[in-house]
Amino acid sequence: MIKRLSPYSTVILLVLVMLLFSSLSDGFLNGRNFMNILIQVSGLAIVAAGMTLVLITAGIDLSVGSIMFLAGVVSGKIVVGGAPLWLALPIALLVGVAVGWVNGIAVVRFKIVPFIVTLATLYMGRGFGLYISETRAVNLPESFLAIGTFKLLGIPLPIVIMVLVLVVLHLVLTKTTFGRQLYAIGNDKRKSVKAGIPVNKLLIKVYLISGLCAAIGGFVAIAQLGAISPSFGNQSEFMAIAAAVLGGTSLFGGKGGIFPGTFIGALLIQTIQNGLVIINADPYLYPLITASLIFVIVLIDSREKFGSHV
Amino acid sequence: MTIVDNIRTYLVKNPIVGVCLLYYLLMALMVPGFFSANNSWNLVYNFIPLLILAVGQTFVILTAGIDLSITSIIAVSSVVGGYLMSSDVGLVDGSKWSMLLGIGGMLSVGVIIGLINGISVAKLKMPAFMVTLTSLMFFSGFAIWITQSQNIYNLPALLVDAPYHSFLGLPLPVYLAVLVFTSCYLLLNKTLLGEWVYAVGTNIKTSWISGINIPLTLVSVYVISGVCASLASLIYTARLETGSPVMGQNVLLDVIGAVIIGGTSLFGGRGKLQWTAAGALLMTMLDNSLNLVGMSFFLIMMVKGAIILLTALYNQLGSKSLTHA
Amino acid sequence: MSRYLLYPIWILLVVCSCSHQRERPLIGISFETLQTEYWVASVEAVKAECIKNGYDFVVAIANGDANRQFEQINNFISLGVAGIVIAPKDSHTVIPIIKAANRANIPIAVYNRVPASNLGDYVTVVADNLEISKNTVTYMCELAEKSGKKHQALIVLGDLGDINAVNRRAGFNQAVAAFPETIEVVAEVPSEWNQEKALAGVTNALQANPDISFIFTSSDFLFPAIISAMKTADKYYPIGHEKHVIFGGFDGDAMAYRLLQEKYLDADGVQDVFYECEASVQAVIKKLNGEPVESTIIDPGFVIHQDNLEQMAGKMWGASF
Amino acid sequence: MLKLHHIGKSFGPVEVLKDITLEVKTGETLGLVGENGAGKSTMMNILGGIFAPTTGKIEFNGQAFEPVEVSESQQSGIAFIHQELNLFPNLSIKENLFISAFPKKQGFFNTIIDQKSLSSQASALLAEVGLSVSPSTLIGKLTNGQQQLVEIAKALNGRPKLIIFDEPTTALSQQETDRLLQLINSLKEKHISMIFISHNLDEVKSIADHIAVIRDGALIRMQEAEIYSKKEIIRDMVGRDLDQFFPIRSTHPTESVSLEIQDLNADGKNDLSFSIREKEVLGLYGLVGAGRSEMARGLYGMEKLYGGQVRWKGAQMHKLTPQNWIRHGVVYLTEDRREEGILAFKSIRKNVQLAALPRFIQRFGGWLDYRSIKREVSSKVKATRVKYQDLEIQPVSELSGGNQQKVLLSRWLMTNPSLLILDEPTKGIDIGAREEIYQLINQLVEQGSCVLLISSEIEELLGMCDRIMVMNQGALTAEFNRSEFDQSAILKHALKAAHD
């Protein structure tokens, strides 16, 4: 069985999947379709990048899905209510940071188990979003849709935002004190305190960044959809965790990265979805395939961590 | 020790029971229609499946694990039950035998998914929340794929009317709930497995050194949770008279809320089934009363999320001295 | 013990703030979801009709969960509502709800979806989805025939678990079957009434069949996603432009009305919401007063298109929404 | 540089440090020697700011010095090299060296790490400690010795005035130790004073200027290294009268062999073979890191074994797991009471019954006979003389260390063991409780069971055991029958450096 799960094994998997789909249908292997995939993956990749930081510190953030929804609904309602378009993004980011802050304080200051905190904020966020929108789909004005289809120097805006966010986070992780100290915390929290790392301060920042990425990711996805349905963002937290874990990020902390890791993980998930639709496969197959792929990868991650000994 | 002292010590040891009674009184006074006979039956019918689910979940949380896959177990059981029992699509004619076969099929779904969860956590050492989150995604997708998101109808009349039959004045689901609760209570407090569950939850290394069969303990708690989920699915399916692949979507919040409000600790080793029962009753009353007052379903979802956070916070502050390293 | 009093009192405050006194009889309005403008317009219409006839109302939304809707109806019964108007999640889970209402002998009107079994005492008010979609698509096919070329067609399906979605698809197929030489259906995109799935499905379908020129959606609420996909596939042009794709929809919501005016939409099947909602509330009131009411009221609906835009606009609920 | 004036420290009734006064001049190295539990680590914790002394003052670098926090003592120039290194295997050497304060770029990008100066400063530090490895290699890929050098480099980065080495050479190979000693000599020229704590007397004599011997919390003697002979050091370390009373056992070991072990390999290097006979207390002496716990835990199935044949009462034992051993009547009292011993917030009864539960299953389905469980628990708890208020309500975490150990012993007694493996049973326990434990051991042995007693206190072994084996760096280096017991000889074998 593959003992070592390097990020490059995910790249190989991605290439294999692409070959498979292009052999099954000629509509798959062409520039336009790749552009499609890149646009569609932008939202997921941004959220997964924020999730990677949390996972590196051996934490978890289940609330990203409802942050995407809540941030979208709040900014959508404001724009529909007549506020200027440029105000929408800052408001969405504010919502993301607010929920991220609540998660951070509860996990760090009050030492509550991360997945319970973020599960609670998931329902609070989803509930509040549905309450504001009374489960009505918030139809966004044309200008919103323009963002989704707007092209900057020929490259669609969502891809530009995605690349920007991922590059920034990649640099933060690899090149800054904050980033390197995250790996230390993920490896051993007690040792990090002894080494003089401000653990609590950093962890709160990590949950803030995850909330921020969720808001940006949500915004980018909504700009393509043109409307926010009540089930928007459902299971996005699972897809984000899946993308990070597929990219080599370990659930036990201390291991993982944005390039090539999480980005390739997100691409792999989106390619599978895109490919299945192109070959007109039964869309209900999609969750089965992704979930079983995730199970195998988490299994390998756990075997690496604990080795074969009981 | 007078009766009052006994009651007071009981309430101090089990605060959730006190809160439950207090809440019932307050709602009975404040909310019109809450105290009516019809609403009380309403409460009972909503409380029973939640209690059974929460009891199963308590076993898992006592071993410092979590089972997020219960909603997918409910869905798959409901679909499998539908296939076996329904007369138009059912594999067997709609007679009594098909019902027994159907119920057997539903329980075996609970056992199988429970085994998958248990073995992955115990033998393969995978984190409990990730295993059950993945099986949640897989099996809810599976239920929808098998039925192409179509419901299954025409379930046998015997099943459909069962909740409305009453025996010695009490409807049948009540007996099922009592049976499940007492057998789980005895299993947890009077048997070897129960002691092992508490020990593994408190300190897994000590348990291993003291010769406890840890894989057996972990696998059995996930199987118990799976069986409880399929029993609850039986009740939901009978009530809605359809085998639905999206059955029980929103129930996870109530189940985890019930266990946590009850006071069972997420770090494992500490908790009682009575607490969970009181927690489940409080969640049901909360849901019902806020609904009666006309609060929207989504605000209620927010209130429940907030209560989980508040209680987890309170338990954390309250038990500062005994928290784990 | 005292610290534990903290949160029941806190909930109590929230509870008191919402409860309000009532004198007039109460009608319970239970809708499966408000996800689309169609549902929102229906709820508003039912509310207006209740007020007009001197009834108070209480609304409960189930967010697509049949089990929650069942519990909400039970809550209505314990509240002692005089009558119930329900838009059920699907035609089968409504049966136990009807039984519960009958047991409490509260009159119940089922809006928009026909219950699967006819036992039990209730009134159904529903649009003829099959006919409306058939007429709409037939008009679109006639347009395609006039253009003389052969058209590749795409239909965006709803959630196949919903009886209305199934009927609209049947109507589409019947209409298209009458024009075998002009229309060839190349793609059926299941949306499950979900924006993201519609967007991904239509984008990739257009990508796989670049020369689709005939699109019909089972519901107008998917327009934003479909238009976004058409834009990326460079197929979103007004009528008269040589790249114009024959575009049709169902429901007749505000966006459909706007697209008709901007000449992007060719035709739209309209359910007459005002008529249906009045009929359902009237049915409940008649039952309360013991007057006879026929068990099923069919709304024929109508097709609105470029030619009859002016005269039909008044009857179209989306126009005034 | 460092002066300790009449330093004393006691935890409740137990006095750990008694009136210690000593001095380390600038550029000097002090060798600190003493048995386990003699108080060395307590002294170092005081210097490291982990806790304050009960009496006395510390003078460091000329000023008064009362560190309250770890970082405080670090800033004032004291560096610690613990045996358990504080490094992150998933990060590179240079990142570990500067984890709390990376060199930064100037100007706008001041949050970005200045990679160039990071590598150059790291290489400089590595050169100083003589480690010729690229600074970007991951710590996880280095050997123990190399990691230790990185830890030292990290300490040097803070420009320390005093470095304290706590048992640095136990996990090192021979040439790694030599390289470390050369490094320490080179540090001497840089006028850095050092305290070197070790059991290897040859190492201490080779580099220390002065040697201080600590015994039972008191400073016995401090002398120049050249004139302080090894024999004298050992005598000072050990030479106290046997004031500790050990109960006499009436029985003697029989000839029948209970446990026989052939080529047991727990550390991948050495094969151990020994056997334990009925009614025998076999002692196992060795210093920290000698591999005694690893051997016992490997035997009991809690850690990986690289090989070995085990026969219990003549029969071959195939499955080495705690569950199987308990069924055969062999139990293991672990060294770490808190992590692996007690069920912290559970009642005494739930703790005592834990290992023997399967014995109380009634008819079907694992139904437990709680009446006889409670009866047997109270009898066992009386036998071990645990002082408690209530068996059912009082959580074990509220009991004293001694009582907790007796609760654990009662747990193992309930399984009617015929072999007890006791790992440091009396560590951190008051005198009164110790004697009760010794009496309990003797009663058990008289009734026919046997005991493998792992301990770091020589008198305890001398007083209790029929036979003592000495272990050093994973290998059995000597064996003494009761008649040949000689404290200095035992210690010499334990201290013997691997090569001479």
Side-chain angles (χ1 to χ4, degrees):
Chain A
M1 202 162 59
I2 332 164
K3 259 319 209 175
R4 291 287 321 151
L5 175 81
S6 71
Y8 301 103
S9 52
T10 323
V11 175
I12 298 158
L13 205 57
L14 178 61
V15 169
L16 279 180
V17 163
M18 285 185 173
L19 290 178
L20 174 73
F21 280 125
S22 39
S23 63
L24 286 172
S25 122
D26 44 27
F28 182 80
L29 201 62
N30 59 45
R32 288 240 308 89
N33 190 35
F34 284 156
M35 189 58 87
N36 260 345
I37 294 179
L38 274 179
I39 296 176
Q40 284 166 5
V41 84
S42 49
L44 171 66
I46 295 173
V47 177
M51 181 68 78
T52 307
L53 265 69
V54 177
L55 288 177
I56 286 177
T57 66
I60 187 75
D61 186 352
L62 296 179
S63 59
V64 287
S66 63
I67 292 175
M68 288 167 79
F69 175 66
L70 186 58
V73 162
V74 166
S75 55
K77 272 277 181 208
I78 290 172
V79 167
V80 164
L85 182 64
W86 56 265
L87 202 59
L89 184 59
I91 300 285
L93 300 189
L94 206 64
V95 168
V97 166
V99 179
W101 183 75
V102 169
N103 287 340
I105 292 292
V107 167
V108 172
R109 183 75 55 73
F110 298 110
K111 306 250 178 313
I112 306 175
V113 180
F115 92 84
I116 273 297
V117 170
T118 52
L119 188 67
T121 39
L122 181 150
Y123 283 109
M124 288 161 73
R126 178 66 58 178
F128 189 56
L130 288 171
Y131 176 68
I132 298 175
S133 66
E134 292 126 4
T135 79
R136 292 157 61 167
V138 179
N139 283 346
L140 302 169
E142 280 300 307
S143 50
F144 231 107
L145 210 55
I147 303 173
T149 50
F150 173 77
K151 284 196 169 45
L152 187 68
L153 313 165
I155 308 164
L157 199 59
I159 298 182
V160 170
I161 298 177
M162 170 176 73
V163 167
L164 206 65
V165 170
L166 261 63
V167 165
V168 165
L169 282 185
H170 178 73
L171 290 178
V172 163
L173 263 187
T174 49
K175 295 285 184 287
T176 67
T177 313
F178 169 74
R180 301 321 293 172
Q181 289 179 339
L182 289 187
Y183 286 93
I185 295 172
N187 182 271
D188 185 322
K189 218 183 233 176
R190 257 207 306 270
K191 272 195 200 167
S192 310
V193 172
K194 251 197 251 166
I197 297 174
V199 173
N200 285 353
K201 219 149 59 66
L202 295 192
L203 283 180
I204 291 185
K205 270 197 205 140
V206 158
Y207 282 96
L208 286 180
I209 293 174
S210 172
L212 198 63
C213 288
I216 301 172
F219 195 81
V220 162
I222 287 166
Q224 294 164 41
L225 279 174
I228 311 157
S229 70
S231 62
F232 175 74
N234 258 350
Q235 295 175 359
S236 299
E237 62 281 349
F238 178 69
M239 290 309 158
I241 298 171
V245 172
L246 275 174
T249 307
S250 161
L251 286 170
F252 304 97
K255 188 160 83 74
I258 308 285
F259 289 110
T262 302
F263 177 64
I264 299 292
L267 258 185
L268 179 59
I269 289 178
Q270 198 59 44
T271 310
I272 293 174
Q273 178 174 9
N274 178 284
L276 281 178
V277 175
I278 294 275
I279 61 172
N280 225 328
D282 175 350
Y284 299 130
L285 272 179
Y286 173 59
L288 299 184
I289 296 173
T290 343
S292 19
L293 188 62
I294 309 308
F295 188 84
V296 168
I297 302 288
V298 171
L299 172 62
I300 295 170
D301 180 29
S302 310
R303 301 311 293 162
E304 253 169 52
K305 171 81 182 169
F306 294 104
S308 56
H309 178 63
V310 161
Chain B
M1 281 281 266
T2 64
I3 306 296
V4 173
D5 296 343
N6 288 349
I7 293 172
R8 193 176 325 103
T9 43
Y10 182 78
L11 286 186
V12 165
K13 271 221 306 305
N14 309 291
I16 180 68
V17 174
V19 170
C20 234
L21 292 177
L22 195 70
Y23 190 78
Y24 186 78
L25 290 177
L26 286 177
M27 288 306 116
L29 301 174
M30 292 293 177
V31 175
F34 183 83
F35 202 64
S36 67
N38 186 293
N39 194 47
S40 312
W41 282 125
N42 206 356
L43 272 178
V44 165
Y45 281 120
N46 297 345
F47 169 65
I48 287 169
L50 182 60
L51 171 70
I52 294 177
L53 283 165
V55 161
Q57 187 71 226
T58 311
F59 272 85
V60 175
I61 292 184
L62 275 177
T63 64
I66 186 82
D67 186 354
L68 299 176
S69 63
I70 46 178
T71 48
S72 63
I73 296 174
I74 294 173
V76 174
S77 309
S78 170
V79 163
V80 164
Y83 274 134
L84 292 176
M85 288 194 267
S86 144
S87 51
D88 52 20
V89 79
L91 309 180
V92 180
D93 60 34
S95 71
K96 196 151 58 59
W97 290 115
S98 80
M99 199 168 124
L100 283 179
L101 187 70
I103 293 174
M106 292 174 86
L107 293 182
S108 49
V109 164
V111 169
I112 292 164
I113 300 181
L115 277 175
I116 293 173
N117 289 339
I119 290 168
S120 313
V121 172
K123 278 283 180 215
L124 307 175
K125 289 270 180 302
M126 295 163 73
F129 88 92
M130 197 59 201
V131 167
T132 53
L133 187 59
T134 317
S135 41
L136 169 67
M137 292 299 151
F138 185 85
F139 290 108
S140 34
F142 176 76
I144 294 171
W145 177 58
I146 282 283
T147 61
Q148 292 292 319
S149 87
Q150 308 278 346
N151 288 347
I152 302 153
Y153 311 116
N154 301 339
L155 300 184
L158 202 60
L159 175 79
V160 162
D161 302 335
Y164 305 105
H165 287 302
S166 55
F167 174 71
L168 301 176
L170 286 176
L172 291 184
V174 172
Y175 292 97
L176 178 64
V178 167
L179 178 71
V180 167
F181 185 80
T182 33
S183 45
C184 284
Y185 179 84
L186 294 177
L187 182 66
L188 190 58
N189 294 295
K190 291 287 183 278
T191 68
L192 180 67
L193 180 66
E195 294 287 346
W196 279 5
V197 164
Y198 275 110
V200 166
T202 310
N203 184 332
I204 195 158
K205 268 213 195 105
T206 307
S207 312
W208 167 247
I209 295 169
S210 310
I212 289 180
N213 184 340
I214 295 188
L216 176 70
T217 315
L218 291 181
V219 168
S220 18
V221 289
Y222 283 96
V223 168
I224 291 171
S225 170
V227 167
C228 286
S230 39
L231 279 174
S233 173
L234 181 63
I235 296 176
Y236 285 130
T237 309
R239 194 158 72 157
L240 285 179
E241 300 172 26
T242 51
S244 138
V246 286
M247 181 73 82
Q249 270 161 344
N250 296 331
V251 85
L252 185 63
L253 173 62
D254 297 318
V255 172
I256 293 190
V259 176
I260 289 185
I261 294 180
T264 300
S265 147
L266 279 160
F267 296 102
R270 214 197 325 240
K272 294 186 193 152
L273 288 190
Q274 311 94 303
W275 291 356
T276 299
L281 184 58
L282 184 59
M283 281 304 261
T284 321
M285 286 196 292
L286 184 79
D287 202 71
N288 180 274
S289 54
L290 295 184
N291 242 311
L292 284 182
V293 153
M295 184 189 277
S296 83
F297 160 66
F298 324 107
L299 220 55
I300 295 173
M301 186 194 278
M302 229 184 97
V303 164
K304 286 181 193 167
I307 284 184
I308 289 183
L309 205 56
L310 270 172
T311 327
L313 171 68
Y314 172 75
N315 289 345
Q316 198 62 29
L317 293 180
S319 63
K320 207 76 199 122
S321 56
L322 302 173
T323 48
H324 291 253
Chain C
M1 189 57 179
S2 57
R3 272 166 308 164
Y4 238 77
L5 289 182
L6 132 81
Y7 58 84
I9 291 177
W10 178 68
I11 296 166
L12 179 64
L13 293 176
V14 170
V15 161
C16 296
S17 61
C18 295
S19 68
H20 39 72
Q21 289 324 324
R22 272 187 318 286
E23 330 74 29
R24 289 180 296 185
L26 192 63
I27 288 190
I29 306 172
S30 162
F31 268 62
E32 177 238 335
T33 175
L34 292 181
Q35 184 174 8
T36 69
E37 278 174 18
Y38 171 77
W39 294 118
V40 174
S42 313
V43 158
E44 298 309 326
V46 171
K47 281 189 203 169
E49 189 60 23
C50 290
I51 304 286
K52 207 166 68 181
N53 293 288
Y55 281 84
D56 250 334
F57 55 81
V58 59
V59 178
I61 310 298
N63 195 24
D65 182 347
N67 195 25
R68 164 119 336 255
Q69 191 165 35
F70 183 75
E71 280 169 12
Q72 282 168 342
I73 294 297
N74 281 330
N75 289 339
F76 281 168
I77 294 169
S78 6
L79 261 177
V81 294
I84 295 175
V85 173
I86 178 168
K89 159 80 174 164
D90 60 60
S91 45
H92 284 270
T93 49
V94 74
I95 297 167
I97 289 176
I98 293 170
K99 275 193 203 158
N102 292 163
R103 262 204 303 283
N105 55 56
I106 297 174
I108 181 165
V110 180
Y111 172 76
N112 186 273
R113 284 184 177 130
V114 181
S117 88
N118 42 30
L119 36 88
D121 167 16
Y122 60 88
V123 173
T124 315
V125 179
V126 70
D128 187 341
N129 290 285
L130 195 139
E131 270 315 306
I132 298 174
S133 88
K134 189 168 152 209
N135 300 343
T136 315
V137 176
T138 309
Y139 174 84
M140 290 165 71
C141 294
E142 280 147 11
L143 275 180
E145 207 175 34
K146 260 195 244 104
S147 73
K149 22 204 210 17
K150 191 155 174 43
H151 286 264
Q152 288 198 341
L154 173 138
I155 173 173
V156 182
L157 304 172
D159 179 346
L160 298 181
D162 167 7
I163 188 86
N164 294 349
V166 172
N167 287 343
R168 294 176 197 173
R169 180 190 193 188
F172 173 84
N173 291 335
Q174 279 178 22
V176 164
F179 299 81
E181 70 293 350
T182 37
I183 302 294
E184 184 212 355
V185 180
V186 291
E188 279 194 335
V189 174
S191 78
E192 286 163 48
W193 301 136
N194 174 310
Q195 299 273 7
E196 292 119 354
K197 288 205 169 64
L199 173 67
V202 176
T203 312
N204 294 312
L206 290 180
Q207 221 270 316
N209 315 282
D211 42 28
I212 282 179
S213 57
F214 185 99
I215 295 180
F216 174 75
T217 170
S218 305
S219 166
D220 295 350
F221 104 95
L222 295 173
F223 273 147
I226 295 167
I227 288 168
S228 164
M230 288 165 80
K231 275 185 179 160
T232 35
D234 185 24
K235 280 188 175 299
Y236 186 58
Y237 292 92
I239 298 171
H241 189 285
E242 94 278 1
K243 277 195 178 172
H244 171 65
V245 160
I246 298 176
F247 198 16
F250 193 99
D251 289 336
D253 66 10
M255 190 157 183
Y257 184 64
R258 191 160 50 75
L259 291 173
L260 280 167
Q261 283 176 320
E262 291 161 4
K263 297 230 179 311
Y264 278 92
L265 188 63
D266 293 280
D268 202 276
V270 182
Q271 305 182 54
D272 188 344
V273 167
F274 301 133
Y275 169 76
E276 289 181 25
C277 293
E278 274 150 33
S280 12
V281 176
Q282 289 308 333
V284 166
I285 295 169
K286 282 204 190 91
K287 275 230 184 273
L288 272 175
N289 308 339
E291 295 153 27
V293 183
E294 77 270 24
S295 69
T296 313
I297 304 167
I298 302 288
D299 156 29
F302 55 88
V303 180
I304 189 167
H305 43 67
Q306 294 303 336
D307 312 338
N308 66 4
L309 186 52
E310 287 67 30
Q311 322 95 298
M312 302 307 271
K315 276 180 73 183
M316 177 180 181
W317 62 273
S320 57
F321 186 69
Chain D
M1 171 52 73
L2 174 75
K3 288 200 187 73
L4 303 180
H5 299 291
H6 307 297
I7 292 297
K9 178 67 187 177
S10 42
F11 294 103
V14 179
E15 204 186 1
V16 178
L17 287 183
K18 303 185 185 85
D19 180 21
I20 289 180
T21 309
L22 61 84
E23 188 193 358
V24 181
K25 295 192 187 60
T26 320
E28 259 194 9
T29 304
L30 168 69
L32 198 61
V33 179
E35 276 191 311
N36 290 19
K40 300 195 297 295
S41 42
T42 319
M43 218 156 83
M44 291 313 121
N45 286 342
I46 291 175
L47 278 175
I50 293 169
F51 40 71
T54 320
T55 60
K57 287 200 312 330
I58 306 170
E59 225 187 280
F60 178 66
N61 201 5
Q63 305 109 6
F65 175 68
E66 288 115 9
V68 173
E69 247 193 16
V70 174
S71 47
E72 210 182 315
S73 75
Q74 266 164 5
Q75 269 115 33
S76 48
I78 296 182
F80 270 86
I81 312 289
H82 294 287
Q83 203 192 350
E84 197 238 338
L85 300 174
N86 203 24
L87 299 174
F88 300 102
N90 59 337
L91 292 175
S92 68
I93 293 178
K94 56 186 178 184
E95 283 162 343
N96 267 282
L97 287 174
F98 297 94
I99 190 71
S100 48
F102 283 94
K104 296 221 175 63
K105 282 212 166 73
Q106 293 348 359
F108 174 70
F109 292 102
N110 57 8
T111 53
I112 304 244
I113 298 172
D114 178 349
Q115 292 298 345
K116 250 192 341 331
S117 68
L118 178 67
S119 306
S120 58
Q121 285 178 25
S123 316
L125 281 174
L126 291 185
E128 237 182 287
V129 294
L131 181 56
S132 55
V133 174
S134 135
S136 345
T137 39
L138 289 178
I139 291 286
K141 300 231 173 358
L142 300 178
T143 66
N144 280 338
Q146 289 169 326
Q147 288 188 20
Q148 190 134 55
L149 292 178
V150 171
E151 182 88 10
I152 296 168
K154 189 172 165 191
L156 290 180
N157 181 29
R159 289 295 152 251
K161 302 185 187 64
L162 167 69
I163 302 180
I164 300 171
F165 294 90
D166 186 357
E167 302 282 353
T169 58
T170 43
L172 301 190
S173 71
Q174 195 39 53
Q175 353 88 312
E176 282 169 343
T177 310
D178 297 342
R179 199 150 10 100
L180 178 66
L181 299 182
Q182 280 151 21
L183 170 64
I184 292 177
N185 283 328
S186 70
L187 290 178
K188 269 193 196 170
E189 282 112 32
K190 295 196 181 100
H191 303 303
I192 296 173
S193 35
M194 278 173 278
I195 298 179
F196 188 80
I197 302 169
S198 170
H199 284 293
N200 190 322
L201 296 189
D202 302 330
E203 287 169 12
V204 173
K205 275 181 78 63
S206 68
I207 48 161
D209 304 324
H210 297 275
I211 295 178
V213 173
I214 306 280
R215 189 175 74 224
D216 288 347
L219 174 61
I220 306 303
R221 184 168 17 159
M222 177 161 149
Q223 238 182 358
E224 288 74 14
E226 300 78 22
I227 53 170
Y228 201 169
S229 76
K230 247 167 78 170
K231 232 154 60 12
E232 279 167 330
I233 294 175
I234 293 177
R235 198 163 31 66
D236 289 348
M237 272 174 72
V238 161
R240 64 178 157 296
D241 44 23
L242 290 174
D243 52 8
Q244 176 74 45
F245 160 73
F246 291 95
I248 310 298
R249 247 194 325 281
S250 56
T251 60
H252 292 287
T254 65
E255 284 320 311
S256 81
V257 174
S258 302
L259 179 71
E260 195 195 335
I261 293 182
Q262 213 62 32
D263 308 331
L264 187 75
N265 184 327
D267 60 359
K269 291 202 286 291
N270 309 287
D271 290 343
L272 314 177
S273 304
F274 60 91
S275 57
I276 305 176
R277 283 165 298 153
E278 232 182 65
K279 293 190 180 168
E280 178 182 35
V281 178
L282 172 63
L284 183 58
Y285 182 73
L287 303 169
V288 169
R292 295 163 301 153
S293 291
E294 286 70 20
M295 186 277 289
R297 293 169 76 92
L299 173 66
Y300 203 67
M302 285 153 53
E303 262 151 40
K304 227 157 81 63
L305 263 185
Y306 297 84
Q309 297 299 332
V310 177
R311 302 174 68 78
W312 169 249
K313 291 214 160 93
Q316 179 75 18
M317 281 287 283
H318 300 296
K319 217 152 68 70
L320 298 182
T321 65
Q323 205 177 13
N324 201 13
W325 278 117
I326 291 177
R327 228 181 275 123
H328 286 81
V330 176
V331 294
Y332 175 72
L333 181 71
T334 74
E335 182 187 1
D336 186 344
R337 258 198 312 281
R338 212 164 45 77
E339 288 299 319
E340 294 178 339
I342 56 170
L343 295 174
F345 47 82
K346 291 292 173 189
S347 71
I348 295 172
R349 196 253 302 169
K350 277 212 186 296
N351 268 280
V352 174
Q353 71 181 17
L354 191 57
L357 286 171
R359 194 150 56 78
F360 293 93
I361 293 179
Q362 283 178 320
R363 294 172 300 287
F364 55 86
W367 211 267
L368 289 175
D369 167 7
Y370 276 95
R371 242 187 7 296
S372 43
I373 285 181
K374 287 193 173 125
R375 207 168 357 90
E376 196 161 325
V377 162
S378 52
S379 81
K380 286 292 180 292
V381 163
K382 278 193 187 53
T384 56
R385 286 200 284 282
V386 178
K387 299 182 201 59
Y388 63 90
Q389 283 106 15
D390 181 295
L391 280 182
E392 293 299 325
I393 301 166
Q394 189 184 11
V396 161
S397 37
E398 280 172 14
L399 297 177
S400 71
N403 275 316
Q404 283 179 0
Q405 196 74 328
K406 283 189 258 178
V407 163
L408 291 177
L409 279 170
S410 335
R411 171 191 298 173
W412 297 122
L413 288 188
M414 280 199 53
T415 60
N416 305 327
S418 26
L419 164 61
L420 290 100
I421 305 173
L422 306 177
D423 196 340
E424 302 282 0
T426 57
K427 191 173 86 174
I429 290 185
D430 57 79
I431 303 292
R434 274 175 187 245
E435 255 157 54
E436 284 164 355
I437 290 176
Y438 295 144
Q439 261 135 23
L440 192 63
I441 292 175
N442 283 355
Q443 277 158 23
L444 284 168
V445 171
E446 279 149 10
Q447 286 150 15
S449 42
C450 50
V451 169
L452 172 61
L453 180 58
I454 301 171
S455 173
S456 309
E457 290 167 22
I458 294 187
E459 316 79 21
E460 186 173 81
L461 293 172
L462 295 175
M464 290 298 291
C465 300
D466 301 308
R467 194 161 47 101
I468 296 179
M469 298 188 298
V470 182
M471 207 161 162
N472 190 337
Q473 303 206 321
L476 287 175
T477 50
E479 192 177 311
F480 299 85
N481 280 324
R482 192 158 186 85
S483 48
E484 315 148 338
F485 278 178
D486 166 357
Q487 231 178 358
S488 321
I490 293 173
L491 189 58
K492 206 150 69 53
H493 278 288
L495 295 173
K496 205 145 60 61
H499 50 70
D500 66 349

